[in-house]
Amino acid sequence: MEKVSILAITKNGLNIGSKLTEIFPSWDLYAPSKLQNGKKISWYKESTSEKIVELFNNNKALICIFSLGAVIRLISSCLKDKKIDPAVLVIDDKANFVISVLSGHLGGANELTQTIAQKLNAVPVITTAADVNNTIAVDLLGKNLGWKIDDDSNVTRISAHMVNEEKIGVYQDAGQTKWYERLPTNVTIFKSLEELKKSNSRGYLIISDKNIEDDLKKDAVIYRPPTLVIGIGLHWDTTKQTIEEGIKKTLNKFNLSHKSIARLASIKKPKDVKGLLDLGKEMEIPIEFVNREELAEISAPNPSDLVKSFEGTPSVSEAAAIKVSKGDLIVEKQKFPPNLTIAIARIPY
């Protein structure tokens, strides 16, 4: 985990913190200057109540080696949202317990608690229901696979159904399928959305790169796996706005989610197309460029002699999507005259 700080305010805490920085050299240890002992530690002169606010706002994880009650009082004014708050852990003054306090799932505090407890030979204390019941953590499902939750407004409600062992239905038509070793007994996988609707499940988990109808969405958490490669044929002066509108229209026409875009793919030109580079940066989606010789080897369903005369390959958008995805086209070439074509392929799993 990047940017982790330890805050110790006693001599014992300082010793525990020093041990942790020996195990995890990239972590920073902070302690009040009154404990200064000549070691290379970040000594601070301000009050601990000031320092903890600074560390809370500037770290991915904060490990406090003093009482849980004090930590809660000191960070209470800093709390914003579980999606952005850092992981906060507490270790007692004798390192008997490592407690996951805040952002257990999304912030990674639970996982970090287990790791530290193992290193210190301490007892990990984790209280999130999904973990203690050994069931699916709805807000973490697929996170390690790059899945995005489409809308998190149902996460708390569906999580409650999950830990209360109420009936949960799962449907998946895209993405990595090996995301579980053994499903809880209250979870059933269905082969179609129609079966899912008829299942009388209290909630649904849907893993798909397609748009989902509203009557299912209201009781579902929808996960978007990174499965779509957008192949793009364009001119050197095709604008960012033109490319963006072409992608949006194509996705909407074929009922696909923009949150499942894994890559943009196009031909390697002598000079990069600024509009495409700008769009990739804005969307935070990587762009993969393919040499014309490689594209020419791809069998595409809609080759063009005109494209070949200009680009040295009969297909750009379709061939690039197929080449980069290593899968099959799900959307053949869509034309947006005069200077853009879009095709979409799905990454196979």
Side-chain angles (χ1 to χ4, degrees):
M1 181 179 286
E2 59 182 278
K3 194 63 175 164
V4 177
S5 287
I6 306 162
L7 180 57
I9 62 173
T10 66
K11 290 181 179 180
N12 282 343
L14 200 55
N15 291 333
I16 296 166
S18 296
K19 184 175 181 179
L20 285 175
T21 56
E22 289 174 9
I23 300 169
F24 304 100
S26 64
W27 295 3
D28 296 317
L29 173 58
Y30 293 83
S33 56
K34 65 183 180 180
L35 299 178
Q36 197 156 351
N37 58 12
K39 292 184 178 180
K40 291 184 178 180
I41 292 169
S42 297
W43 305 104
Y44 63 88
K45 294 182 179 180
E46 64 265 50
S47 68
T48 295
S49 59
E50 291 178 86
K51 195 64 185 180
I52 199 170
V53 170
E54 176 194 327
L55 296 177
F56 185 96
N57 291 326
N58 292 287
N59 283 274
K60 292 292 185 182
L62 175 59
I63 302 161
C64 299
I65 312 178
F66 50 100
S67 80
L68 175 60
V71 171
I72 290 172
R73 284 194 296 273
L74 290 170
I75 68 171
S76 61
S77 63
C78 304
L79 304 182
K80 297 180 180 71
D81 189 286
K82 66 179 182 180
K83 294 190 288 293
I84 58 174
D85 287 339
V88 176
L89 287 71
V90 164
I91 301 174
D92 67 277
D93 208 51
K94 291 292 186 180
N96 292 319
F97 301 98
V98 182
I99 308 171
S100 176
V101 178
L102 188 69
S103 297
H105 281 164
L106 295 180
N110 291 354
E111 184 179 357
L112 191 58
T113 293
Q114 294 281 13
T115 300
I116 293 174
Q118 185 179 31
K119 298 293 185 183
L120 296 180
N121 195 27
V123 176
V125 179
I126 295 171
T127 59
T128 44
D131 294 273
V132 300
N133 286 290
N134 195 29
T135 190
I136 293 173
V138 172
D139 54 349
L140 284 186
L141 183 60
K143 185 179 180 181
N144 61 326
L145 302 173
W147 297 2
K148 298 175 183 175
I149 294 179
D150 196 51
D151 177 358
D152 64 3
S153 60
N154 287 336
V155 166
T156 300
R157 180 161 56 91
I158 305 305
S159 295
H161 293 324
M162 183 70 74
V163 299
N164 288 327
E165 299 184 345
E166 297 173 277
K167 191 174 181 180
I168 300 292
V170 175
Y171 171 75
Q172 180 173 12
D173 63 14
Q176 173 64 257
T177 57
K178 295 180 180 179
W179 50 267
Y180 61 91
E181 293 182 5
R182 185 175 62 185
L183 287 173
T185 56
N186 63 312
V187 177
T188 304
I189 294 178
F190 295 92
K191 294 181 179 179
S192 70
L193 289 173
E194 196 60 36
E195 288 182 13
L196 188 69
K197 278 195 281 188
K198 294 177 179 178
S199 68
N200 295 317
S201 299
R202 291 298 306 276
Y204 312 121
L205 305 181
I206 299 174
I207 303 108
S208 178
D209 54 21
K210 299 175 184 175
N211 293 323
I212 304 299
E213 56 193 76
D214 290 342
D215 62 335
L216 280 172
K217 285 170 66 175
K218 64 184 177 64
D219 292 312
V221 177
I222 300 169
Y223 304 88
R224 299 303 188 185
T227 53
L228 303 178
V229 174
I230 311 293
I232 302 169
L234 73 178
H235 295 179
W236 66 271
D237 58 351
T238 306
T239 66
K240 176 176 75 70
Q241 182 179 6
T242 297
I243 304 167
E244 185 176 21
E245 289 177 354
I247 291 173
K248 284 182 178 179
K249 287 179 180 178
T250 304
L251 290 171
N252 289 336
K253 180 179 178 180
F254 291 92
N255 203 36
L256 297 166
S257 172
H258 72 278
K259 291 184 181 178
S260 280
I261 300 174
R263 291 279 191 283
L264 305 179
S266 191
I267 189 170
K268 178 65 178 175
K269 291 179 177 287
K271 184 179 180 181
D272 291 333
V273 178
K274 184 179 185 299
L276 181 55
L277 293 180
D278 288 347
L279 181 61
K281 184 177 181 179
E282 182 179 294
M283 296 177 71
E284 297 183 342
I285 295 174
I287 306 170
E288 192 164 332
F289 295 100
V290 186
N291 292 327
R292 67 187 71 244
E293 293 81 11
E294 295 178 86
L295 293 177
E297 295 175 356
I298 302 294
S299 177
N302 298 287
S304 166
D305 290 335
L306 182 62
V307 172
K308 185 176 182 180
S309 68
F310 280 99
E311 301 287 11
T313 173
S315 173
V316 174
S317 59
E318 291 181 335
I322 293 169
K323 175 71 176 179
V324 171
S325 71
K326 298 181 174 62
D328 298 324
L329 281 179
I330 57 172
V331 175
E332 294 188 4
K333 179 169 63 177
Q334 305 294 298
K335 297 179 181 180
F336 299 92
N339 59 4
L340 180 70
T341 60
I342 300 290
I344 304 176
R346 180 178 284 128
I347 298 170
Y349 289 95

